[in-house]
Amino acid sequence: MKVGQNTELLTQLQQNQNLSAAEKKAGTAGETLQRSTQTAAAGVPVTVSDSARSLGVSNRAQGDIDAAKVRAMREAIANGSFTVDAGAVADKLLSETSSFLQSPAN
């Protein structure tokens, strides 16, 4: 050993080099995660109950939007015949605000 040579530093440097070499051999963290995800996904069987399947079918059949009503409103807006009932909008806003302010969560 040479005078002034720090053995702890040399040991740490060798460990870092070994770790770096191992990381290069294993690949990036993203590649490792991708491999583990593919392995996990390939080995886990998934089953869906009949009731869950029927929920999916009924939601697609009903839909959240009435396409005919949307089409009629678009046509009315394009024709200039669409009118907004300001009183009904104001009443609904006041009703929703009132129920929000009276809710026990606040």
Side-chain angles (χ1 to χ4, degrees):
M1 182 166 109
K2 295 183 181 178
V3 175
Q5 191 175 21
N6 190 343
T7 56
E8 290 177 17
L9 261 166
L10 286 174
T11 305
Q12 185 66 33
L13 180 62
Q14 287 174 343
Q15 288 174 350
N16 287 344
Q17 287 174 344
N18 291 341
L19 182 61
S20 178
E23 286 175 352
K24 286 180 184 177
K25 184 178 180 181
T28 65
E31 291 170 348
T32 304
L33 178 62
Q34 186 178 12
R35 282 193 304 268
S36 66
T37 302
Q38 289 172 347
T39 303
V44 179
V46 176
T47 58
V48 179
S49 68
D50 291 335
S51 59
R53 278 193 210 109
S54 68
L55 287 173
V57 171
S58 66
N59 283 343
R60 278 182 266 152
Q62 283 181 340
D64 293 333
I65 299 171
D66 185 358
K69 188 173 183 177
V70 170
R71 188 172 27 261
M73 290 177 73
R74 283 184 179 172
E75 290 174 6
I77 291 170
N79 296 336
S81 62
F82 182 76
T83 57
V84 176
D85 185 1
V89 173
D91 288 342
K92 186 68 174 175
L93 282 172
L94 289 172
S95 171
E96 290 294 319
T97 303
S98 176
S99 66
F100 176 73
L101 291 174
Q102 293 175 1
S103 67
N106 291 329

